[in-house]
Amino acid sequence: LGSAKKAECVGHLSTLGKAFQLYMADNGLFPQRNPSGQPQDWIGLFKPYLGDNTKVLCCPSPRLVNGKPVEFRSTTD
């Protein structure tokens, strides 16, 4: 990755980290597997803390599937 892409990636991770911290502060627990044992869609949990800033869900140099970037979606990603 180039310097700009690395800086953008660090910014995305920082934003996701802050959303994680806010979720933990509000809920007092670490996002876990849902009751059925399937991975939790943690982006759904953090969405209230991200607002419209969904670009942080994709790597600046993403892995593409069918020409679209793959988002980080669950506790197993």
Side-chain angles (χ1 to χ4, degrees):
L1 292 176
S3 296
K5 296 286 184 185
K6 286 180 184 177
E8 187 177 357
C9 184
V10 168
H12 288 191
L13 293 173
S14 176
T15 300
L16 289 170
K18 289 173 186 170
F20 182 87
Q21 289 177 321
L22 290 168
Y23 175 87
M24 292 279 296
D26 286 348
N27 296 281
L29 57 98
F30 187 87
Q32 301 174 20
R33 290 187 176 270
N34 65 28
S36 68
Q38 297 299 312
Q40 180 70 46
D41 181 358
W42 55 269
I43 295 305
L45 299 175
F46 295 170
K47 182 79 171 150
Y49 307 102
L50 296 173
D52 292 332
N53 191 11
T54 57
K55 70 179 184 175
V56 301
L57 304 178
C58 292
C59 176
S61 292
R63 178 174 56 112
L64 301 177
V65 173
N66 297 324
K68 294 184 178 183
V70 176
E71 291 183 347
F72 305 116
R73 295 299 309 168
S74 75
T75 52
T76 60
D77 288 347

